[in-house]
Amino acid sequence: MFEQNDRRRTLHGVEEGTGPGPVLVLMHFLGGSTREWDEVVPLLGHQVRTLRLDLPGFGDSAAVPGYSVESMADLVDTTLRAADLDRFFLVGHSMSGKVAMVLARRFEDAGDSRLLGMVLVAPSPPSPEPIPADKRSSMIEALGSEREGDWHRARNYITKNEERDIPSPVVERAVSEVLKMNRAAWLAWLTDGSKEDWSERVGILRLPVLVIAGELDRSLGPDQQKAVTLPHLGNAHLAIVAGCSHLIPIERPEQMAALLSKFTQDLLSSDRPTIPTEYLDLIASDRLSSQTREVLEERMRGPQWASGFLTANQERTLRAAAMRIIPQSASHPIDLAGFVIATLASGKGNGWRYAVLPADLTAYRQGLDWLAAQNFANLSPEQQDACLRELSRVPGSPSARWFEELRGDLTDAYMAHPATLARIGYSGIGVGGAHTPHQGFVLLEPNQQEAWEPAPHPEASSTS
Amino acid sequence: MKTYENESTVDVVVIGTGAGAAPVLAKLAEAGLSVVALEAGRWWDPAKEFSADEVAMGDLYWLGERISAGETPTAFGGNNSGTGVGGSMLHWGAFVPRADPRDLKLRTDTGLGEDFPLSYEDLLPYYEEVERFLGVAGPAVYPWDAQRRYPLRPIALNAPAIVMRKGYEAIGVRTSEAPIAAVSEPYTQPGYPTRQPCVGCGFCHQGCVFNGAKASMDVTYLPRALAAGVEIRPHSFVHSFERNDRGDLTAVIYRNGEADLRQRCKAVFLCAGAVETPRLLLHAGLANSSGQVGRNFMAHVATQVWGTFPEEMRMNKGFPASLISEDTLRPKDADFAAGYLTQSLGVVPVTFARQVARGRGLWGQSLVDYLDRYNHLAGVGANGDCLPYPGNFLELSDEVDALGVPKPRINFSYGENEQRMSEHSAKMMTAAWKAAGATDIWTFERSAHTIGTCRMGVRPADSVVDPWGRSHDLPNLWISDNSTFPAALAANPALTIMALALRSADRFLEVNR
Ligand SMILES: Cc1cc2nc3c(=O)[nH]c(=O)nc-3n(C[C@H](O)[C@H](O)[C@H](O)COP(=O)(O)OP(=O)(O)OC[C@H]3O[C@@H](n4cnc5c(N)ncnc54)[C@H](O)[C@@H]3O)c2cc1C
Ligand code: SF4
């Protein structure tokens, strides 16, 4: 337990874990508490240090006043200082996502590098949250004051009238946490906090952020996050959680824990493909339009994450197949499988499919299951190649068509990556845009090269 | 932009804003009619939103899923279908040969395929009108038509075009700078600020960001239409119609965001392309007393030959297809009917790599090694006629999209004629590539463009629309897009679609006067 020096100026917190790494500061949604992380924390493992906080008016901070976004941020700030952490990540969920962004702005302005990054789970955006007026008033009506039938209404709030898939003991616990809250905090968020406009103040944050959105979340899901939150984040990744709505930590604790681990570990190890300096200079130069540069920079940060679309075994098999289809020996290979999974998760497809194949994701699952049944990931390279050849033995068959899709999708991911474009000496990124000083090409004949055109760099992501 | 109320009855609703739609919009509005265009896709701002990145520009393509069946299933999406204000013309290659007069009467000449119910002379004034308005760049003298004059001087040849000319010369086949609908000098037309010359960026298939260089509809016919008072509504997917007791169409129902809206109108021009047009008609159960809606789906024989050159090609540079040959429109040694034209090819890396992985079937180290040679590769490709067959058609599948409209399923198999034509073209192009100095030459078989499915004809019993695009069944429904073609023609389709669109619009004004 974390000591509360002053019951009105710091928040109740729960500390766990013993490792040397940075601390994950976990905050909750409106009506939640430290307990919303009960399932996730054990999954992170003992060596991960966590500090969970009850925000003012909730959980064991029910008596602490200060419900505006600014007051919440102040209290979190004071609490973190009191805890004297040297490196940490802020993890905000829904309401507390907004608080985290406001706090991150303060850390950036102060040049305070103890804050390493943020994970925002279905965050409420810095701008007023677009809650339809009727929904807002029915929420105020439901739990704005203590009265008969609260239990039932709190249960509907947690389960969204039974739409959400949460184990019943967890529902029971979450409902009792809702009923513990100070109703004034509930009202304050709905009538004021969620409407406060921090978009100017937050601006664009530079620190690395993972935004996690539930595929089925209709108010703060992937599309809304892209539209209202991501514009405030200069270095963000969006992860989509399949079949999940708004209460991701209690709906999908395994995936929540896996995403937290992956994000924090990746950030600490930095294993991105290396791109030769000359090519990075070209990307930074006024040869590129800003749109092109943004797209390439985003791709260099790696694929958008998606969780729960493939099983662990399917993913392992896909990674093994990717290594055979497009061998890469670079110490930091391009995460081809990750890019393919992100595309599958986006559900966007390429506009068509062969009639012999089911929908894209199903086809991948079936194909990978077949390979996994051959124990693909543990075979020798020669045996793996034989397995892949077997897929295309009968031309036009479903397996041959899926293998064709797989080759195409991996190749898209490979070729589009700046590390590959540098490797082949591709000049097309430098054609400029409507307002750039240089546009297009003048020297078009064989063997004619313009001075700025890059030479190939076979070592850029060199293969075996 | 002028706007209309949903409840007011406009003269015409046009569905789509691509090649078949945009010229109609301009003509009808200029004649003083009230016109609303409903476009499923978004309205782009190229200068701000287009990037030189193939993956990012994927949103230019129609991504609603289509199911491709048959022996030689054709690819959709980026291969042939666009969306957005401007339709597939946002990312077209702007390669604009005219149809060969013989291709319009193939059945008369050979007993195979189908004739167009109109002649080259009917089309000629419209071809000239489109070429003049778009500012087509082309050679001073066109080797296959001495009469023809192009308004602008040709676009510069790039490396693939230069090696193609060399190879073709060596095997005795004529070539010419291609007719290209991109301007080679500053060009001014009504409704749009001066269009700037093509800078040879090589990204036509990803949308042109360079200030209107390429004649997409959003910088040509659509600004003209807007200036004449057309309202364009993006994000408007049409899925049904309303009719009165007499059977006339009275309103169009479309999905905009979460809402279904109704636009009342006196007439409808359906210009949704050769897949969405029949899909919509089959779904609505309209205009199909002939049973021909969805029938006769065709796709061009678009076989390509690739090779590695000792010189650096850097085929991403310059206008992608800048040289043409029409010498093989009726090859003397052909064992097939009709013919094909050929064009030089520069293809940007992701699209190219995907076709290597899919079409050449390379994987493993050989794929990586081959892609490493990107800067030394160049290609040449055919665009060949395709016959209509009873077994090649579009139908509604039993899967539905998000709005509950059945997804289309397209059955397409090459016949003997297409197979032989493909082989003939591969042989000729391989010989040329050898003569030009290429090694590691390989053939990529593919088909391109979506054609047919609502064929025009004189007889209501075996065609969907009349020779001007008016439905035989519903007098106030007109179709103007690639679906009305009774024959595929060897020429790339868009110029002919636009010419037919202007002709339809003239006819519409005449009969509604
Ligand atoms: C990569 C590529 C390169 C090409 N290059 C060339 C070339 O060089 N030369 C050439 O001649 N041709 C080329 N083409 C082909 C040419 O673009 C098409 O033939 C032409 O655009 C077809 O015109 P259309 O009017 O039939 O349909 P489109 O131009 O596709 O327009 C149809 C429009 O209707 C909209 N729509 C569809 N359904 C609905 C609905 N239900 N409600 C509302 N709106 C709807 C679509 O969003 C679209 O905007 C190319 C095509 C591609 C894909
Ligand atoms: S090559 Fe020319 S016409 Fe094509 S996109 Fe580039 S500038 Fe536009």
Side-chain angles (χ1 to χ4, degrees), chain A residues 75-139:
Chain A
L75 281 155
V76 174
D77 203 354
T78 326
T79 310
L80 293 177
R81 282 176 208 289
D84 195 23
L85 312 173
D86 43 341
R87 291 185 309 156
F88 59 92
F89 292 98
L90 282 177
V91 182
H93 179 196
S94 195
M95 170 180 82
S96 58
K98 184 170 185 175
V99 176
M101 286 185 266
V102 169
L103 207 49
R105 165 50 61 217
R106 295 187 189 170
F107 277 82
E108 278 197 11
D109 287 353
D112 188 336
S113 58
R114 290 176 308 150
L115 174 59
L116 301 176
M118 281 195 294
V119 176
L120 302 173
V121 185
S124 180
S127 49
E129 184 179 327
I131 309 176
D134 53 336
K135 186 174 164 203
R136 199 185 291 268
S137 52
S138 76
M139 286 173 78

Side-chain angles (χ1 to χ4, degrees), chain A residues 352-396:
Chain A
W352 69 285
R353 68 169 213 259
Y354 287 117
V356 296
L357 289 181
D360 292 351
L361 186 56
T362 313
Y364 264 83
R365 286 174 177 156
Q366 290 176 358
L368 292 169
D369 283 346
W370 184 82
L371 288 175
Q374 325 297 311
N375 198 16
F376 186 85
N378 301 318
L379 299 178
S380 71
E382 293 71 30
Q383 291 169 319
Q384 289 181 328
D385 288 358
C387 258
L388 294 175
R389 273 193 297 273
E390 177 62 21
L391 285 174
S392 47
R393 195 169 45 84
V394 182

Side-chain angles (χ1 to χ4, degrees), chain B residues 203-388:
Chain B
F203 269 104
C204 295
H205 290 180
Q206 282 66 40
C208 181
V209 339
F210 293 104
N211 312 312
K214 185 178 82 171
S216 310
M217 297 298 94
D218 61 327
V219 299
T220 54
Y221 282 108
L222 294 179
R224 215 174 106 181
L226 287 168
V230 164
E231 177 184 354
I232 298 177
R233 295 187 195 145
H235 304 294
S236 301
F237 176 82
V238 175
H239 56 81
S240 44
F241 300 91
E242 283 178 5
R243 303 167 71 183
N244 63 18
D245 302 344
R246 292 201 312 276
D248 297 329
L249 301 178
T250 52
V252 173
I253 316 289
Y254 62 101
R255 178 58 71 109
N256 178 258
E258 299 286 297
D260 271 333
L261 302 176
R262 170 198 292 112
Q263 178 62 55
R264 293 180 194 283
C265 59
K266 292 187 196 146
V268 173
F269 259 87
L270 179 51
C271 313
V275 175
E276 296 307 314
T277 285
R279 177 184 179 215
L280 188 52
L281 291 179
L282 289 173
H283 178 57
L286 287 180
N288 197 17
S289 69
S290 63
Q292 289 295 314
V293 172
R295 297 269 146 197
N296 310 304
F297 178 84
M298 296 169 281
H300 284 127
V301 173
T303 305
Q304 302 179 346
V305 165
W306 290 92
T308 307
F309 288 83
E311 308 94 320
E312 268 205 349
M313 292 284 121
R314 294 193 180 256
M315 63 168 166
N316 57 287
K317 294 163 60 173
F319 192 89
S322 41
L323 200 76
I324 188 171
S325 174
E326 291 196 12
D327 264 9
T328 46
L329 282 180
R330 291 293 178 274
K332 288 207 183 59
D333 60 347
D335 53 356
F336 51 86
Y340 59 92
L341 55 80
T342 51
Q343 56 187 112
S344 60
L345 296 176
V347 174
V348 278
V350 178
T351 311
F352 178 74
R354 187 188 311 133
Q355 69 186 42
V356 171
R358 279 175 167 269
R360 195 176 186 187
L362 290 187
W363 53 278
Q365 198 56 47
S366 57
L367 173 61
V368 172
D369 291 344
Y370 186 60
L371 296 178
D372 278 347
R373 282 189 256 153
Y374 177 82
N375 279 349
H376 286 267
L377 304 172
V380 53
N383 200 74
D385 210 341
C386 170
L387 300 177

Side-chain angles (χ1 to χ4, degrees), chain A residues 65-288:
Chain A
Y67 308 138
S68 67
V69 173
E70 176 110 53
S71 309
M72 288 196 267
D74 284 347
L75 281 155
V76 174
D77 203 354
T78 326
T79 310
L80 293 177
R81 282 176 208 289
D84 195 23
L85 312 173
D86 43 341
R87 291 185 309 156
F88 59 92
F89 292 98
L90 282 177
V91 182
H93 179 196
S94 195
M95 170 180 82
S96 58
K98 184 170 185 175
V99 176
M101 286 185 266
V102 169
L103 207 49
R105 165 50 61 217
R106 295 187 189 170
F107 277 82
E108 278 197 11
D109 287 353
D112 188 336
S113 58
R114 290 176 308 150
L115 174 59
L116 301 176
M118 281 195 294
V119 176
L120 302 173
V121 185
S124 180
S127 49
E129 184 179 327
I131 309 176
D134 53 336
K135 186 174 164 203
R136 199 185 291 268
S137 52
S138 76
M139 286 173 78
I140 291 174
E141 162 75 22
L143 292 165
S145 59
E146 288 182 40
R147 61 198 165 90
E148 208 172 308
D150 267 2
W151 188 88
H152 186 71
R153 287 188 297 274
R155 189 183 160 89
N156 280 345
Y157 171 62
I158 293 296
T159 63
K160 198 150 186 223
N161 306 315
E162 307 299 327
E163 265 181 43
R164 292 186 186 126
D165 161 26
I166 309 170
S168 34
V170 179
V171 172
E172 302 298 316
R173 186 192 70 220
V175 170
S176 59
E177 292 302 303
V178 172
L179 296 177
K180 254 172 135 178
M181 73 184 172
N182 192 329
R183 304 302 168 104
W186 172 268
L187 286 174
W189 173 257
L190 289 170
T191 52
D192 301 310
S194 63
K195 291 183 183 166
E196 288 179 30
D197 190 353
W198 284 82
S199 49
E200 284 282 314
R201 174 76 184 105
V202 169
I204 299 179
L205 296 167
R206 302 244 52 94
L207 83 175
V209 182
L210 174 66
V211 177
I212 304 179
E215 186 192 22
L216 309 179
D217 186 344
R218 281 191 298 264
S219 342
L220 292 169
D223 291 343
Q224 291 88 351
Q225 297 303 346
K226 276 186 208 155
V228 293
T229 307
L230 290 178
H232 290 283
L233 306 172
N235 183 4
H237 239 68
L238 178 66
I240 304 174
V241 180
C244 186
S245 164
H246 187 63
L247 300 184
I248 301 168
I250 59 174
E251 289 180 68
R252 294 286 183 277
E254 293 82 12
Q255 287 159 25
M256 183 69 228
L259 286 167
L260 276 175
S261 306
K262 181 167 156 52
F263 176 71
T264 48
Q265 281 163 17
D266 275 17
L267 213 67
L268 298 173
S269 70
S270 165
D271 56 357
R272 290 172 186 166
T274 3
I275 294 167
T277 332
E278 303 92 285
Y279 212 73
L280 288 175
D281 289 346
L282 172 60
I283 291 176
S285 77
D286 63 4
R287 275 272 155 203
L288 270 73

Side-chain angles (χ1 to χ4, degrees), chain A residues 325 348 353 407 449 453, chain B residues 53 59 314 317 357 364 399:
Chain A
I325 294 170
K348 228 167 167 186
R353 68 169 213 259
R407 293 195 308 266
Q449 208 182 3
E453 286 189 77
Chain B
D53 185 87
D59 284 342
R314 294 193 180 256
K317 294 163 60 173
E399 293 174 41

